[in-house]
Structures are given as C-alpha cells and as structure tokens.
C-alpha cells in the first residue's frame, strides 16, 4: 500500500523524521495519517488495499473524501463497499472515494456522484475566465457535499478552480 506517509510510519504510532517534516510543512495532515493507518490495518483483511495508493484525505461536514491514484478507487471501496463501511464505522462519517484522474471532469464526476454533469463551460468575467460546471437541478440536495465544499475539494484535488451550479 502506498500512502502519504512511509511504510514504517504506517505500522508505527510515531512519525519518522521525514514524515514529521512533511507534517510540519503541511504536505500531509493528521487526518491523512490517521486514515492511512486505518487502511493499513484493514489491508491485513482486504487484499485489494495492499496494491492501492492513497493520495489525500479531506474532511467535510458529513463526508470524508479519500483520493486514490487513478485506477485504485474500486480497491479502496471494496466488494459491495465493504472496506468503506469499515472506515465509516471507525471515523463515524460517510466515505467518498475519488480517483485522481488526469481528466478533471472525472474527478468532478466522482465527487458529484450520483449527480451527473450537464456541461463544463468557460465563462468570461470582468476579472478573467472561470470554469463552470453545470449540474441538472434535479440533483440538488442529492449530493452529500455542499457547493462550497465541492468547489474547495475540486480546487484542492485538481489545482484548478471550478464554479459548480445547479440549473434547470
Ligand atoms: Zn515515515
């Protein structure tokens, strides 16, 4: 398993000087350390985790978002969601697993699920351009993340700012 912290730290309760430095430099967070260790523990029981890579973990009001490497989402979700259920029990929150695809649209789709994207357009504003993601209004309230949380997550994960808008 590959995680934001090294293999030694995954199995230990303390951090090596390298990982400690990453924490001080805000390259990794306490939450990422905690969730990575939970996943490492679960990898004894669930083999698919051993071959997975965890990139980041983000916290929101209702949901914990786990970002994996591209192609690793299903390995972390587990059969019928069995792994995310275990994590959810331990952290007391819903879990959403998103793959870090090169294609921003795939990342946004993963965060918005079950909602669909109608379009992504460039909009021109007095202070420059912005990317706007339009989601059919029928999905309003069906996504367990707020628009603000979605926009922050998309920006953190992809490095690009997108506005998200539910529209008729
Ligand atoms: Zn370490």
């Amino acid at each position: 398993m590959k995680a934001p912290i090294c293999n030694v730290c995954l199995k230990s309760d303390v951090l090596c000087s390298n990982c400690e430095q990453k924490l001080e430099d805000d390259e990794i967070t306490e939450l990422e350390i905690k969730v990575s260790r939970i996943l490492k523990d679960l990898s004894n029981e669930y083999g698919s985790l051993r071959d997975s890579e965890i990139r980041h973990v983000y916290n929101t009001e209702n949901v914990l978002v786990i970002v994996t490497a591209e192609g690793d989402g299903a390995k972390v979700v587990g059969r019928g969601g069995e792994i995310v259920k275990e994590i959810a029990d331990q952290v007391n929150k819903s879990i959403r697993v998103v793959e870090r695809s090169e294609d921003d649209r795939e990342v946004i789709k993963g965060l918005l699920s079950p909602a669909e994207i109608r379009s992504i357009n460039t909009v021109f504003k007095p202070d420059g351009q912005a990317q706007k993601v339009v989601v059919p209004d029928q999905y309003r309230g069906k996504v367990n993340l707020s628009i603000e949380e979605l926009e922050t997550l998309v920006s953190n994960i992809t490095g690009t700012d997108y506005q998200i808008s539910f529209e008729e």
Side-chain angles (χ1 to χ4, degrees), residues 1 14 16 20-21 26 30 33-34 36 43 60 63 78 80 91-92 100 114-115 121 126 130 139 157 163-164:
M1 194 184 122
V14 290
C16 71
E20 184 66 52
Q21 190 61 48
D26 292 324
E30 293 284 359
I33 297 168
K34 179 181 163 191
S36 297
S43 74
T60 69
V63 189
V91 298
N92 243 324
R100 175 57 181 112
N121 310 304
Y139 295 111
I157 297 169
Q163 280 175 33
I164 294 177

Side-chain angles (χ1 to χ4, degrees), residues 6 9 16 19:
C6 75
C9 292
C16 71
C19 292

Side-chain angles (χ1 to χ4, degrees), residues 5-9 15-20:
I5 51 173
C6 75
N7 274 319
V8 174
C9 292
L15 288 178
C16 71
S17 56
N18 259 338
C19 292
E20 184 66 52

Side-chain angles (χ1 to χ4, degrees), residues 96 108-118 134-144 150 166:
R96 184 168 283 250
I108 299 166
K109 226 169 99 181
L111 287 168
L112 279 169
S113 166
E116 284 160 23
I117 296 170
R118 178 181 292 149
V134 178
V135 183
D137 202 47
Q138 68 193 94
Y139 295 111
R140 193 189 288 272
K142 304 245 163 69
V143 184
N144 52 6
L150 283 165
F166 288 84

